[in-house]
């Protein structure tokens, strides 16, 4: 009975990327814990950049400063 | 001090249905646990069909295939 | 595809009361939105009294003062 | 490693007020628990008035009756 | 800035399995969305069987009846 | 109607520190948004170190390596 919530900033995530996340998390729960996929729900919640704060600053401000969340 | 979050897919839930859910959950907490309704908050969160995954698939895809969440 | 989280203070809720909450919420989702119970998950999360704050005070302190969450 | 979620009704909260909340919560976690702000995330989630229930009523209905959440 | 919450029933998940879930989800977010792992937090929340309801029944009751969440 | 959830690692947070967090967040919501404290709930959720992952590693492992979340 897994329920997974993925919260990410709203920055152009595509439908295909969402499907990849959903499939990936569901498969991970099956391969690691042998969970039946029919009992696994995954919810993606996109958060506006004004609504996510990191290190005391809105992400919208960080992005204006050129600071991204990209892997280097 | 109950707080209840109801997450459902966004599929045309009406204002009246939301009120029914809020009233029903609040009453259930009062009748079962004797909770003061003035300390009970209920939040309904609708999730877009692309953002909810079930059995490894986006619900939007499941709906395109004619698979619903309706009680048979 | 509903997922419901009920957060309540940990104050002696019994197994039977939990079952009543689970059954009640599941039935409410079926009667209001026609949701298949096999797609409905309900999670109850009990919170220690030191960990729940109301009106700026820990509930453990409120209880010591004789303030309850009971319906009058 | 703190993660903080602030759920509030959607009633005209400004970008500046959101920034005040984010900064305030982050500073509070640093001053109280000595947490590194670079490990602190704060998410604000605004909830439509039809989707928040209090005392068994939708907040949209309470507002129509002139009942606010303002401090007196 | 991803934050992921994995809610599962408390049924003997080992420390190694938790590490596999954390590593797997973090890698998935990097490979799919190019997210910096240093901005990715994953929280696993185990839920007692009396506190998780499925199809209107406590999972503890379902397990007593021999119904598992295992993939067939 | 604010509801705030603070998720932190379980690392010896005292009852007094929790009260400071609850009071601080409640006051912040009053001073910033003029919210009535009697409509503000704050929940603190402590997470075991094996259950919180950061940068793909369990925090329990990070702590064994001497990596803390302390502000430098």
């Amino acid at each position: 009975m897994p329920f997974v919530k993925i919260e990410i900033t709203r920055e152009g995530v595509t439908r295909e990327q969402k499907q990849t996340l959903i499939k990936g998390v569901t498969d991970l729960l099956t391969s690691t814990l042998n969970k039946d996929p029919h009992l696994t729900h995954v919810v993606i919640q996109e958060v506006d950049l004004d609504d996510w704060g990191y290190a005391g600053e809105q992400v919208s401000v960080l992005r204006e400063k050129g600071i991204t969340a990209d892997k280097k």
Side-chain angles (χ1 to χ4, degrees), chain A:
Chain A
M1 272 81 183
F3 180 80
V4 180
K5 169 78 71 84
I6 300 172
E7 295 184 67
I8 46 175
T9 41
R10 192 188 307 278
E11 302 182 85
V13 179
T14 66
R15 192 187 185 199
E16 286 66 32
Q17 288 172 321
K18 291 177 180 179
Q19 174 56 26
T20 302
L21 292 175
I22 286 166
K23 185 72 166 60
V25 168
T26 305
D27 286 353
L28 180 67
L29 283 158
T30 300
S31 64
T32 310
L33 299 179
N34 195 36
K35 292 290 185 186
D36 184 345
H38 290 89
L39 295 170
T40 299
H41 295 256
V42 181
V43 167
I44 297 167
Q45 185 171 344
E46 291 178 285
V47 175
D48 287 340
L49 300 191
D50 280 354
D51 294 340
W52 194 302
Y54 170 67
E57 285 247 52
Q58 279 168 310
V59 173
S60 55
V61 172
L62 296 174
R63 292 293 178 270
E64 285 162 16
K65 294 181 179 173
I67 301 169
T68 73
D70 289 350
K71 186 167 188 295
K72 275 96 204 169

